[in-house]
Amino acid sequence: MGEAVQRRFLGLTAAVAALGMTATLSACGGDAGSGDVTLKLVAADYGTGPENSSEKYWSGVASGFEKEHPGIKVEVTVLSWKDVDREVAAMVKAGNAPDIAQIGAYADYAKADKLYSADEMLAIRTAANFLPSLTDAGKVDGTLYGLPFVASTRLLFYNQKLFQQAGLDAPETWDDISSDAAALKAKGVDYPFALPLGQEEAQAETLMWLLSGNGGYTDDVGSYDIDSAENVATFRWLRDNLVGKGLTGPVAPGKLDRAKAFEAFTAGKVGMLNGHPTLMDEAEAKGVKVGMVPLPGADGPTKGSMGVADWMMGFKENGHRKEIGTFLDYAYSDENVLEFAEQYDLLPVTGSASAAMETDKKHTKLHEFLAALPNSTLPPFGKTSWATVSDTIKKKIGSAVAPGSNPESILGEISTEAAQAEAAE
């Protein structure tokens, strides 16, 4: 995703898929009235290797679709998350855009008038089935261009064994986090609270904390508000009550990447951190019993959570508006949406598939994440300036919690650069 779900929270290598995997799926027959049309679909790989490559999923979807729509062929290309956004950008620049792309960012293409809107492609029932919190994040100037594909939310994870050894209950407030972290430190825990504000995923960790302090990246009308009083207060608290007290571990938060924090958690060296479903499975596979609670806030559990999503979009270049819409209506059936979400421990993006997952006992471990999704807040993906602002946050936010730092000044610098980036669009 620009900030893709895969890159932000699956942390998978997809070594085989890094070379790209292409499957051309053909069908016989014609579609009366329009003749044969070939749709080019480029998608990201969420798998770890050939056995669970997303190429298998898309091949199955395309094959099933072609049987029902013999006049439309689907050519599928699946690429590593390391490559897919760049490759699609190169295709578009060269005048060879795919018809459909499932990638991490859509706003630049929408601003350049290269995408069909949802209303131009989808059946009403398909468009109406998306979760509102996700469609809000997929809009540019009030129009939906980025169709949510898969999503996830965040909860606070804690190591149940370490908490039991320290005689602790699950935290509900910031004060609980601080006191619990102090008790864990006294027991010799390496990272009482892992705070990964290194450049890998600092923009995501930051948003979680801003939301827990009743702030965020934007105000009520969608303008950047990064140095708000609430946000400054949040980072002062982090500086004074966690970092300044030595409760975040041996690596300074500004130098701690999320992957390293997650690795330490699965090794049993972390008391608490903000986590996602895949980390839950990885930790439990290594014998770490994971407790999960909503993100603690200043005065109690946070009512909302940070959400993340990846995006599907239809390009105008080849003029296949009708055929793209027909394929997307098929791809967003409950059967297809649930199959993909189940395979990779992600959350469905439609109301009907979410309801099905909520009532399925085999997905009990995901129910808490699913419950947080409707009230989640996503990064401002609809802003074409977001990529620049996100990069600025990654580079600078870690210094806002360093002992002796001035969070107001650092957040002010980021806010000024955000305003400049927005004005330049």
Side-chain angles (χ1 to χ4, degrees):
M1 308 160 124
E3 271 149 352
V5 170
Q6 176 64 16
R7 288 170 294 171
R8 278 195 308 264
F9 73 87
L10 290 183
L12 301 174
T13 60
V16 172
L19 299 175
M21 301 183 70
T22 303
T24 302
L25 306 167
S26 60
C28 301
D31 184 13
S34 63
D36 284 351
V37 169
T38 297
L39 295 178
K40 296 180 180 179
L41 166 66
V42 177
D45 198 329
Y46 293 70
T48 55
E51 70 284 348
N52 69 341
S53 169
S54 300
E55 191 274 334
K56 290 185 177 180
Y57 169 81
W58 284 116
S59 293
V61 172
S63 179
F65 172 78
E66 287 181 349
K67 289 177 182 177
E68 293 189 16
H69 303 275
I72 308 174
K73 302 176 183 180
V74 183
E75 182 181 286
V76 178
T77 300
V78 175
L79 299 172
S80 162
W81 267 116
K82 294 179 180 179
D83 303 322
V84 66
D85 285 291
R86 183 184 68 253
E87 290 292 333
V88 169
M91 293 174 192
V92 174
K93 185 176 181 180
N96 189 32
D99 295 286
I100 304 166
Q102 184 271 301
I103 52 177
Y106 64 87
D108 285 347
Y109 301 127
K111 283 284 189 180
D113 195 30
K114 294 182 180 298
L115 300 180
Y116 292 117
S117 69
D119 288 343
E120 292 174 309
M121 298 184 293
L122 303 180
I124 293 174
R125 67 180 181 277
T126 303
N129 199 20
F130 291 122
L131 295 173
S133 62
L134 302 180
T135 54
D136 287 347
K139 293 178 180 179
V140 174
D141 297 331
T143 299
L144 181 63
Y145 292 97
L147 312 180
F149 177 63
V150 285
S152 186
T153 53
R154 300 292 189 266
L155 297 172
L156 183 124
F157 286 17
Y158 62 96
N159 184 312
Q160 290 191 7
K161 179 179 178 181
L162 296 179
F163 264 62
Q164 290 170 357
Q165 291 174 344
L168 302 173
D169 295 323
E172 296 184 356
T173 66
W174 285 354
D175 286 344
D176 292 340
I177 288 177
S178 182
S179 61
D180 289 352
L184 292 166
K185 181 180 180 181
K187 289 288 187 179
V189 175
D190 290 349
Y191 292 87
F193 194 105
L195 183 65
L197 293 176
Q199 292 194 30
E200 180 193 356
E201 282 295 314
Q203 84 290 345
E205 184 73 16
T206 296
L207 180 55
M208 287 182 261
W209 282 100
L210 298 185
L211 293 172
S212 71
N214 298 313
Y217 284 136
T218 58
D219 59 21
D220 291 339
V221 296
S223 299
Y224 285 118
D225 195 23
I226 295 171
D227 61 344
S228 68
E230 293 84 357
N231 292 348
V232 170
T234 294
F235 270 79
R236 283 178 176 161
W237 187 89
L238 288 170
R239 178 197 63 186
D240 296 340
N241 294 279
L242 284 184
V243 183
K245 293 181 179 179
L247 301 178
T248 53
V251 180
K255 296 186 180 297
L256 181 64
D257 283 340
R258 188 201 58 183
K260 292 296 184 183
F262 284 8
E263 182 181 314
F265 187 78
T266 62
K269 298 178 179 180
V270 174
M272 295 172 278
L273 52 58
N274 293 319
H276 58 63
T278 302
L279 176 62
M280 171 186 65
D281 287 342
E282 291 174 351
E284 292 184 348
K286 293 189 176 182
V288 176
K289 192 172 183 181
V290 182
M292 299 179 293
V293 293
L295 303 179
D299 302 313
T302 304
K303 294 181 180 179
S305 174
M306 185 192 80
V308 291
D310 291 332
W311 308 100
M312 184 82 77
M313 62 212 70
F315 283 87
K316 292 181 175 180
E317 185 172 305
N318 301 315
H320 294 154
R321 178 187 63 80
K322 180 180 178 181
E323 292 83 2
I324 292 170
T326 301
F327 177 80
L328 291 176
D329 287 337
Y330 179 88
Y332 278 106
S333 69
D334 283 357
E335 179 183 0
N336 290 327
V337 170
L338 284 169
E339 180 183 347
F340 195 92
E342 290 170 359
Q343 183 169 356
Y344 298 108
D345 282 332
L346 297 172
L347 304 180
V349 296
T350 63
S352 56
S354 294
M357 183 174 278
E358 284 176 354
T359 59
D360 193 335
K361 290 183 179 180
K362 72 179 180 181
H363 297 302
T364 299
K365 292 191 296 184
L366 293 175
H367 286 175
E368 289 188 64
F369 295 96
L370 197 62
L373 188 58
N375 296 318
S376 64
T377 298
L378 280 71
F381 292 122
K383 290 180 175 291
T384 53
S385 60
W386 172 241
T388 299
V389 174
S390 174
D391 190 56
T392 300
I393 294 168
K394 290 178 183 180
K395 292 176 179 177
K396 295 190 173 185
I397 199 66
S399 61
V401 297
S405 67
N406 185 338
E408 185 171 9
S409 175
I410 295 166
L411 289 172
E413 291 177 15
I414 296 172
S415 187
T416 297
E417 293 191 34
Q420 292 172 345
E422 182 74 355
E425 297 298 336

